[in-house]
Amino acid sequence: MGIEGEKRYALLLACNDSEYVKEVYGGYFNVFVAAFGEEGERWDLFRVVEGDFPDMDELQKYDGFIVSGSPYDAYANDFWILKLCFLLKSLDVTRKKVLGICFGHQVLCRAFGGKVGKAYSGWDIGVRKVRIVKDFSPCGFLDGLDQEIPPALSIIECHQDEVWEVPEGAEVIAFSDKTGVEMFTIGDHILGIQGHPEYTKDILNNLIDRLLTNGCIEKGFAEDVKSQLEIAEPDRKCWEKICKIFLKGEMEPAIVSFSSMDNGVSFLP
């Protein structure tokens, strides 16, 4: 039962927890909440990849939603992906805040009529510099950042697919030398980010090991990326601030503490 006045958010998890993330962080849910959660909020977990979705009549109770990354293709026709697209369209009708990350970024694009497919230049793994477009209009939520955010930010990337064409009415607000659509918005309630603002370098290193073991990437490529990771640093604090401002507006930093739970957690004073 929620407490009156508390903010409530939902993570729509589109991947299964890796053994590493379960052991070190207690699951991806905890990774996201540690990055974007604030004291006094309630966060709920829905494992959409397993068919666990919020009830349609409960959507109005949430202040915002995050769609995670995934090893699945956003353009595939698995039932849960099609159901997720329908859910995203329903959230758009009520203008609920939705933040899509990596797969989430791509499936948002698909749900609203854009085009997604394999990246023309292949895998993008590592820390990449993303350039923020300064002269866009639909992103009033970024006004609160003032001069705190530089014109280019480094972010952890790990993707083989990309947005080819944004939906009608969407605005591209960031790009890189590897990917033409690193961020896009629709109005002030939809934000897609191709990179992983929630990832730490150890999570990425473990993911590289798994991709190599599964034969998804070559050994030489994996070694090069790991070597670059030793000297590159993502601008995690800036990305966390961007995501928090989008989801809930400017707020004071808070120390977040929580216990690992499979279906929800409340941050209460």
Side-chain angles (χ1 to χ4, degrees):
M1 184 174 183
I3 295 178
E4 186 177 356
E6 73 175 346
K7 295 288 187 177
R8 188 173 180 182
Y9 299 93
L11 173 64
L12 308 178
L13 191 63
C15 64
N16 295 310
D17 293 320
S18 69
E19 290 302 317
Y20 177 82
V21 169
K22 280 196 291 187
E23 179 180 346
V24 176
Y25 296 94
Y28 281 117
F29 176 68
N30 290 349
V31 174
F32 277 93
V33 175
F36 306 132
E38 296 286 344
E39 191 173 346
E41 298 172 353
R42 171 170 175 169
W43 283 73
D44 297 330
L45 170 63
F46 297 95
R47 296 181 180 274
V48 294
V49 70
E50 297 176 0
D52 177 27
F53 283 77
D55 292 335
M56 297 299 288
D57 58 2
E58 295 284 313
L59 299 181
Q60 74 277 5
K61 296 182 179 181
Y62 289 93
D63 295 281
F65 297 78
I66 298 178
V67 187
S68 78
S70 177
Y72 290 85
D73 297 325
Y75 46 85
N77 289 320
D78 302 63
F79 178 74
W80 71 269
I81 296 177
L82 298 178
K83 186 174 180 179
L84 178 58
C85 288
F86 177 79
L87 172 60
L88 295 174
K89 291 177 182 178
S90 300
L91 295 175
D92 178 54
V93 171
T94 55
R95 299 187 68 81
K96 288 291 185 180
K97 291 288 186 76
V98 182
L99 169 63
I101 293 173
C102 199
F103 166 90
H105 161 85
Q106 297 161 11
V107 82
L108 276 171
C109 175
R110 175 190 179 174
F112 297 112
K115 295 181 180 179
V116 181
K118 284 283 182 286
Y120 295 116
S121 55
W123 279 99
D124 188 7
I125 305 176
V127 177
R128 185 160 301 279
K129 191 74 75 175
V130 170
R131 300 197 174 278
I132 310 294
V133 179
K134 289 296 185 180
D135 57 348
F136 48 80
S137 56
C139 302
F141 73 90
L142 287 180
D143 291 344
L145 294 172
D146 296 321
Q147 302 301 315
E148 296 178 38
I149 301 300
L153 291 170
S154 294
I155 192 169
I156 289 176
E157 304 262 11
C158 187
H159 62 100
Q160 191 180 22
D161 296 338
E162 66 182 3
V163 169
W164 286 352
E165 183 180 315
V166 295
E168 183 178 353
E171 186 86 1
V172 178
I173 63 170
F175 62 94
S176 70
D177 58 1
K178 181 82 169 177
T179 303
V181 184
E182 289 282 1
M183 294 174 69
F184 77 90
T185 60
I186 300 176
D188 60 359
H189 63 293
I190 301 292
L191 175 63
I193 301 176
Q194 178 58 73
H196 285 275
E198 83 286 6
Y199 268 14
T200 54
K201 291 203 297 184
D202 65 296
I203 291 177
L204 180 60
N205 270 309
N206 177 260
L207 181 51
I208 292 168
D209 290 339
R210 288 187 284 126
L211 289 171
L212 180 59
T213 299
N214 294 337
C216 298
I217 58 176
E218 299 289 335
K219 183 178 180 181
F221 177 68
E223 291 174 346
D224 288 345
V225 171
K226 284 199 165 193
S227 178
Q228 293 167 8
L229 271 179
E230 293 179 3
I231 57 174
E233 289 295 334
D235 294 307
R236 292 191 69 224
K237 292 301 180 184
C238 286
W239 285 107
E240 287 175 8
K241 190 172 183 68
I242 288 173
C243 294
K244 288 178 182 179
I245 287 177
F246 167 72
L247 285 171
K248 46 208 170 185
E250 187 72 66
M251 55 186 57
E252 294 299 320
I255 297 175
V256 177
S257 60
F258 55 89
S259 59
S260 174
M261 299 176 65
D262 193 52
N263 62 351
V265 62
S266 291
F267 294 151
L268 303 176

